[in-house]
Amino acid sequence: MPIVTIQQGPRNVEQKRELVKRVTEAFVETLEVPAESVFVWVQEYQAENWGVAGKLTADR
């Protein structure tokens, strides 16, 4: 049972739908597991909740 966690900034529902579909397909093809066994979690973070190079992304 593969479990995939994707952490990213906010995206629209259509983008997330396509992302989950393609990630699932990659696991099915590569690991030869049934799609029903692949769990994909999308965790989204607003720009004020993460940073890069010592600065909040919201301040960049």
Side-chain angles (χ1 to χ4, degrees), residues 33-60:
V33 297
E36 295 77 22
S37 73
V38 181
F39 289 77
V40 180
W41 301 96
V42 178
Q43 297 176 335
E44 294 187 323
Y45 299 93
Q46 297 297 325
E48 67 269 10
N49 292 328
W50 62 289
V52 175
K55 294 184 179 181
L56 283 178
T57 305
D59 296 336
R60 299 181 98 208

Side-chain angles (χ1 to χ4, degrees), residues 17-36:
R17 196 172 277 129
E18 184 68 16
L19 178 61
V20 168
K21 175 185 169 200
R22 290 185 185 207
V23 167
T24 300
E25 289 171 352
F27 274 82
V28 168
E29 292 172 14
T30 305
L31 300 181
E32 299 178 358
V33 297
E36 295 77 22

